[in-house]
Amino acid sequence: MGMLHGRRVLLGVTGSVAAYKACDFVRRLQEAGCEVRVVMTAAACEFVAPLSFQALSGFPVRSAVFDAQAEAGMDHISLARWAEVIVIAPASANFIARLAHGLADDLLSTLCLARLVQTPLCVAPAMNHGMWLNAATQENVSTLRRRGVFVLGPGQGVQACGEVGEGRLLEIPVLLGALEQCVGPWPLRGRRVVLTAGPTREALDPVRYVGNRSSGRMGYALAQAAACRGAEVVLVSGPCALAVPYGVRHVAVESAAQMREAVLAEVGGCDVFIGAAAVADYRAAAVAAQKLKKGADDWCVSLVRNPDILAEVAALGVGRPFVVGFAAETGRLVELARDKLVRKGLDMIAANDVSEGQGFDVADNALSVLWGDGGVDLPRQSKEALAHALLDVIVARYLAKGC
Ligand code: CTP
């Protein structure tokens, strides 16, 4: 389960062209298991009709503080108490200014002011880049951050006005991931997690390579799950067609040699290392400088062993991180994984059976997690849910080791 599952989320929509994107956000929040109520500012109602949000959320949309019909059941205080998370998306420059100055001149600003201190308040700015970079907005945003408000984005790109710059609402899947990181608890706060993910590509010549079917989905989901627990996360990744989770530092590599170099540069001072990449065990003995031309009927490629990045990190000695590896097996799962755990000197290994359409390039997976004197089976589920379950096991073992 993700961090947002079962949460009561109050979505505030303010006056920005991006208000229409909030309709999709309602759906994505519901898919993540949230109960959603929407409050709109008057300006937001100029962009999108409240009825759209009412139909999507399944609840009446509120806008005014003095709403005779609604006041009887759920006034502004009880709505503020109902919310476990408040997210303003999109948050206009005007609304951010009102928030920074503690105004309570409409329902949404009043709710934000009345919320309990433990209720996370998240704002996802969306505005013209000039408005975003204006000193007034920047000072208002700094004020909010200082008060513990989570500022999610904005993103870069083409704006509604046709200009290009910083100020776009984060893409909805990224925003959802960013919000998931705001709800806590954060047992890895102040800790650094380095992960490897995806496949590696071992070049044969300038156009050909030896690769594998890893999608990177498990590694990327683990990076998000670690960020949700408050860690500073570095994701060293081979080529993947996936969005990098919000706030995660991405180091793009191609070959196993590049991955090793990047990991060794990042692993100093790291608390947890997770090797989720499908690192090629072999690379070409020689990479041709020019494109190889076909000729003979068969073609033999000479391969040599790649260094084992995971084993190298595990052998770092004093101050080394808590090291978690993966094992992909087609039989004798626990026996072979336990052997790998010992042979590579790991703290934990997550083994998966790749024999029945499981593991590689599929959405679901199951894992047998093993450590020195124990283990646990994590049943088949989406890789996102599995990543959260595995991170819970990692955190428990990491803290139990007194790290
Ligand atoms: N790994 C690594 N560097 C390599 C090879 C593997 O860091 N050169 C890591 C992977 O990221 C993974 C684990 O080691 O965490 C997998 O170990 P590996 O020995 O490759 O096991 P399998 O993939 O299961 O393959 P085999 O059965 O061939 O040993």
Side-chain angles (χ1 to χ4, degrees), residues 287-343:
V287 181
Q290 305 292 326
K291 185 184 167 209
L292 295 163
K293 304 298 283 180
K294 63 181 167 296
D297 285 347
D298 51 11
W299 182 12
C300 293
V301 179
S302 178
L303 300 172
V304 294
R305 277 295 290 270
N306 270 329
D308 192 312
I309 303 166
L310 184 66
E312 204 168 331
V313 173
L316 281 176
V318 184
R320 95 181 197 353
F322 184 89
V323 181
V324 183
F326 274 77
E329 311 291 352
T330 50
R332 297 189 293 141
L333 185 68
V334 170
E335 181 191 335
L336 293 176
R338 198 163 276 290
D339 172 65
K340 215 163 273 180
L341 173 81
V342 175
R343 194 160 31 85

Side-chain angles (χ1 to χ4, degrees), residues 60-349:
V61 172
R62 299 262 331 256
S63 202
V65 185
F66 304 110
D67 178 337
Q69 209 183 345
E71 277 301 301
M74 191 181 288
D75 63 12
H76 56 282
I77 299 298
S78 64
L79 199 49
R81 297 291 173 271
W82 173 87
E84 289 176 293
V85 185
I86 300 177
V87 54
I88 314 297
S92 65
N94 181 52
F95 190 79
I96 286 172
R98 289 198 283 137
L99 211 51
H101 289 86
L103 299 192
D105 55 358
D106 69 357
L107 180 63
L108 190 56
S109 53
T110 307
L111 279 169
C112 292
L113 207 58
R115 80 186 196 283
L116 297 170
V117 280
Q118 67 267 29
T119 306
L121 174 59
C122 314
V123 297
M127 66 195 74
N128 169 271
H129 63 104
M131 294 171 82
W132 170 250
L133 292 175
N134 188 288
T137 305
Q138 288 301 308
E139 279 175 31
N140 289 335
V141 167
S142 301
T143 301
L144 295 183
R145 282 206 177 101
R146 210 175 45 246
R147 292 184 192 147
V149 173
F150 296 93
V151 180
L152 311 178
Q156 285 263 1
V158 182
Q159 305 212 279
C161 54
E163 295 178 5
V164 178
E166 202 178 357
R168 278 174 64 88
L169 183 70
L170 288 180
E171 297 306 321
I172 296 304
V174 179
L175 179 57
L176 189 69
L179 185 66
E180 200 192 12
Q181 295 175 15
C182 300
V183 293
W186 300 283
L188 293 177
R189 183 176 253 168
R191 314 288 175 142
R192 205 170 124 84
V193 174
V194 176
L195 300 105
T196 64
T200 63
R201 287 179 179 174
E202 307 302 323
L204 299 178
D205 68 15
V207 297
R208 300 182 181 90
Y209 61 84
V210 177
N212 62 65
R213 293 161 62 97
S214 167
S215 64
R217 192 163 164 184
M218 190 68 210
Y220 278 57
L222 285 166
Q224 165 71 359
C228 284
R229 285 156 181 78
E232 177 200 335
V233 182
V234 181
L235 178 63
V236 180
S237 170
C240 291
L242 296 170
V244 177
Y246 184 76
V248 166
R249 193 151 66 77
H250 179 239
V251 182
V253 298
E254 284 226 347
S255 66
Q258 288 170 356
M259 187 172 274
R260 174 180 174 272
E261 204 175 310
V263 165
L264 294 181
E266 294 292 343
V267 87
C270 136
D271 301 284
V272 177
F273 176 79
I274 307 175
V279 187
D281 292 317
Y282 295 89
R283 67 181 184 280
V287 181
Q290 305 292 326
K291 185 184 167 209
L292 295 163
K293 304 298 283 180
K294 63 181 167 296
D297 285 347
D298 51 11
W299 182 12
C300 293
V301 179
S302 178
L303 300 172
V304 294
R305 277 295 290 270
N306 270 329
D308 192 312
I309 303 166
L310 184 66
E312 204 168 331
V313 173
L316 281 176
V318 184
R320 95 181 197 353
F322 184 89
V323 181
V324 183
F326 274 77
E329 311 291 352
T330 50
R332 297 189 293 141
L333 185 68
V334 170
E335 181 191 335
L336 293 176
R338 198 163 276 290
D339 172 65
K340 215 163 273 180
L341 173 81
V342 175
R343 194 160 31 85
K344 297 198 188 195
L346 311 177
D347 295 292
M348 185 183 282
I349 195 157

